[in-house]
């Protein structure tokens, strides 16, 4: 039996890698992948706490997170395609029309 | 045995996640994230969440990342050229913030280890999970379908070409 803390540490490391991807990359696809990785790390923490408490509610939340992540990916990738058509690039730093 | 599987899956997950966010080629990014998600599915299985382990493989590795791959191919695997005037301070600051998240989680959860005795895991979770979804969480369950429909229409509107 692996302690819950091990899963939580793995989840926080994966979350940090995803956050680093979002903060450091300029490629729009890599940014979206970082968001997916963060969502997955949160899911892992939810399942770990669900086992810790002997309660399935955490797994229900993970189910909803998966559904919302699917919706988010569809809209995000559609935005990327629209941006690529307009700018011929997916560099998120070039989206500066509304930048102060 | 369980320990070996956990540490193997954890190491592979972290290594492929690092590759997924650091490699220049978006195809490599997406494919190595698939490996990460498989390892997360292994962790779900170790935690006794059999339904979610299957859903993770089917939905994340099977559907969402294939959608990613589809868009990467559609756009011709676009890469962002290296910046002419890189901003080292912002890069270091971003890396530091991300490392802070990992360090914070590490130290917080290490202190949690004392006195933790996880209960024995349940056998078949799919049945109980289904009962919870159409029982107490029926409203949220129906709302998710509205969210998915809205996302579908939104994605269609966003990529539709104007005539």
């Amino acid at each position: 039996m692996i302690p819950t803390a091990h899963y939580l540490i793995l989840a926080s490391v994966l979350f940090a890698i995803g956050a680093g991807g979002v903060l450091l990359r300029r490629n729009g696809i890599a940014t979206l992948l970082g968001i997916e990785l963060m969502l997955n790390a949160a899911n892992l923490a939810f399942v770990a706490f669900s086992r810790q408490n002997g309660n399935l509610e955490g797994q229900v939340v993970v189910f909803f997170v998966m559904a919302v992540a699917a919706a988010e990916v569809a809209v995000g990738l559609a935005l990327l395609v629209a941006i690529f058509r307009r700018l011929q690039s997916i560099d998120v730093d070039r989206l500066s029309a509304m930048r102060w | 045995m369980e320990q070996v599987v956990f540490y193997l899956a954890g190491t592979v997950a972290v290594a492929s996640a690092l590759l997924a966010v650091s490699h220049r080629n978006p195809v490599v990014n997406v494919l190595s994230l698939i490996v990460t998600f498989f390892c997360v599915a292994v962790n779900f299985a170790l935690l006794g969440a059999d339904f979610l382990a299957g859903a993770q493989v089917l939905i994340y590795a099977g559907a969402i990342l294939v959608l990613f791959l589809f868009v990467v191919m559609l756009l011709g695997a676009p890469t962002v050229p290296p910046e002419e005037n890189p901003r080292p301070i912002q890069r270091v600051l971003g890396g530091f913030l991300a490392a802070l998240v990992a360090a914070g989680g590490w130290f917080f959860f290490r202190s949690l280890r004392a006195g933790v005795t996880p209960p024995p895991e349940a056998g078949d979770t799919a049945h109980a999970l289904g009962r919870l979804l159409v029982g107490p969480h029926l409203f949220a369950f129906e709302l998710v379908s509205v969210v998915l429909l809205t996302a579908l229409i939104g994605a269609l509107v966003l990529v539709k070409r104007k005539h």
Side-chain angles (χ1 to χ4, degrees):
Chain A
M1 178 63 74
I2 296 151
T4 307
H6 284 38
Y7 290 104
L8 296 175
I9 289 170
L10 176 64
S12 54
V13 169
L14 286 179
F15 187 92
I17 294 171
V22 172
L23 288 171
L24 295 174
R25 296 299 303 274
R26 288 178 302 127
N27 191 326
I29 291 169
T31 308
L32 276 179
L33 288 176
I35 293 171
E36 288 304 309
L37 191 53
M38 286 196 283
L39 286 170
N40 240 283
N43 281 351
L44 184 56
F46 266 121
V47 177
F49 278 121
S50 163
R51 184 190 69 164
Q52 173 72 31
N53 295 324
N55 187 340
L56 276 179
E57 299 277 328
Q59 299 195 16
V60 173
V61 175
V62 171
F63 181 82
F64 288 134
V65 169
M66 278 183 183
V68 173
E72 170 253 321
V73 160
V75 175
L77 287 175
L79 278 172
L80 264 187
V81 171
I83 289 165
F84 186 79
R85 278 193 193 146
R86 180 158 295 230
L87 297 177
Q88 297 304 312
S89 160
I90 51 165
D91 186 347
V92 288
D93 273 3
R94 289 191 54 193
L95 301 173
S96 54
M98 290 179 73
R99 189 185 285 172
W100 183 55
Chain B
M1 185 60 201
E2 207 183 341
Q3 304 267 328
V4 174
V5 173
F6 172 74
Y7 284 111
L8 197 67
T11 314
V12 173
V14 171
S16 58
L18 279 173
L19 186 66
V21 299
S22 63
H23 203 274
R24 285 221 156 270
N25 186 347
V27 179
V28 176
N29 292 159
V30 175
L31 289 179
S32 56
L33 205 64
I34 290 180
V35 176
T36 308
F37 285 176
F38 265 107
C39 293
V40 173
V42 169
N43 280 316
F44 283 176
L46 281 179
L47 283 163
D50 52 351
F51 173 73
L52 285 180
Q56 170 86 5
V57 172
L58 287 179
I59 298 176
Y60 264 111
I64 293 183
L65 284 178
V66 169
L67 189 66
F68 263 103
L69 208 56
F70 203 75
V71 169
V72 168
M73 300 296 182
L74 181 73
L75 303 182
T79 51
V80 175
E83 204 159 12
E84 307 89 54
N85 47 348
R87 287 158 292 184
I89 297 166
Q90 283 90 331
R91 285 191 82 83
V92 170
L93 206 62
F96 177 71
L97 283 176
L100 207 63
V101 172
W106 194 296
F107 283 113
F108 178 70
F109 293 131
R110 254 165 65 92
S111 63
L112 204 83
R113 187 179 335 194
V116 165
T117 45
E121 52 214 75
D124 160 41
T125 61
H127 192 222
L129 210 56
R131 286 210 169 276
L132 274 177
L133 276 177
V134 293
H137 300 280
L138 184 61
F139 183 67
F141 188 64
E142 295 297 334
L143 211 59
V144 159
S145 61
V146 178
V147 168
L148 285 172
L149 181 67
T150 316
L152 183 71
I153 297 170
L156 275 177
V157 169
L158 280 170
V159 296
K160 189 169 171 290
R161 284 185 194 278
K162 310 270 186 307
H163 292 293

